[in-house]
């Protein structure tokens, strides 16, 4: 009788799930690598440090993932426009700073290429009587890279 019950219980079939699990494990690094590549920002280069000033023409938020949206200022100086990558939006909010179209600012930072365009990674920004520091002397961000704060 025990033998009869044993034969009536269907065997587990785990072998069909193995190929699906294997494909999922293989695809995950490819998917995460693509996400990192699309959001990768250029590195600060102390050899390309420069200064510029102008008037804020545009304020953009560049999405880089959860809590890592980046504030970009486009400033005009005469007919020239410069794209300034300032800091994560969460860091800006934590500091309680804001930017408005028409603000006169001066920026010190590293001029680098990002997606075939010249951008300035802000190290220090002067707005009115306020001097805002976003990077240390080596060009490392002063905010937490993991949280953006």
């Amino acid at each position: 009788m025990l033998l009869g019950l044993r034969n009536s219980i269907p065997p587990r079939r785990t072998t069909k799930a193995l190929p699906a699990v294997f494909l999922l494990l293989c695809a995950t690094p490819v998917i995460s690598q693509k996400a990192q590549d699309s959001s990768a920002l250029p590195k600060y280069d102390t050899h390309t440090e420069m200064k510029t000033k102008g008037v804020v023409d545009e304020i953009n938020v560049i999405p880089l993932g959860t809590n890592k949206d980046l504030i970009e200022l486009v400033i005009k100086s005469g007919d020239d426009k410069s794209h300034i990558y300032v800091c994560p939006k969460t860091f800006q909010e934590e500091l309680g700073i804001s930017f408005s179209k028409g603000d006169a600012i001066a920026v010190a930072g590293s001029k680098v290429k990002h997606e075939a365009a010249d951008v300035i990674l802000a190290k220090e920004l002067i707005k009115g009587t306020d001097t805002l520091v976003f990077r240390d002397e080596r060009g490392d961000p002063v905010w937490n890279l993991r949280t953006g704060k």
Side-chain angles (χ1 to χ4, degrees):
M1 185 71 164
L2 185 57
L3 188 56
L5 284 175
R6 190 174 182 172
N7 289 336
S8 67
I9 299 172
R12 282 196 232 162
R13 298 192 184 255
T14 57
T15 56
K16 286 185 179 180
L18 285 177
V21 171
F22 178 74
L23 287 174
L24 181 63
L25 290 173
C26 289
T28 302
V30 173
I31 292 168
S32 62
Q33 184 178 9
K34 280 191 175 188
Q36 289 173 354
D37 290 344
S38 64
S39 68
L41 288 176
K43 299 290 182 199
Y44 193 95
D45 183 357
T46 57
H47 295 95
T48 63
E49 286 185 335
M50 48 89 64
K51 292 181 180 183
T52 188
K53 58 184 170 179
V55 175
V56 175
D57 189 48
E58 295 175 41
I59 301 134
N60 301 313
V61 178
I62 300 171
L64 295 178
T66 308
N67 293 328
K68 294 191 181 176
D69 294 342
L70 182 72
I71 300 299
E72 174 195 38
L73 300 178
V74 179
I75 62 170
K76 276 180 90 170
S77 180
D79 291 336
D80 296 332
K81 285 189 176 185
S82 298
H83 293 260
I84 315 295
Y85 287 2
V86 181
C87 64
K89 186 176 182 188
T90 52
F91 186 69
Q92 175 194 2
E93 291 167 349
E94 189 171 287
L95 291 179
I97 57 175
S98 64
F99 301 100
S100 301
K101 188 173 180 170
D103 286 345
I105 62 169
V107 179
S110 172
K111 188 174 188 176
V112 295
K113 289 274 187 202
H114 184 241
E115 297 178 356
D118 286 334
V119 298
I120 299 169
L121 303 178
K123 182 176 186 178
E124 184 178 280
L125 188 143
I126 299 170
K127 176 185 162 194
T129 58
D130 296 327
T131 299
L132 309 167
V133 177
F134 298 105
R135 294 176 181 270
D136 64 19
E137 64 280 347
R138 294 185 320 245
D140 295 327
V142 296
W143 60 84
N144 183 307
L145 294 175
R146 187 176 51 78
T147 63
K149 291 184 179 182

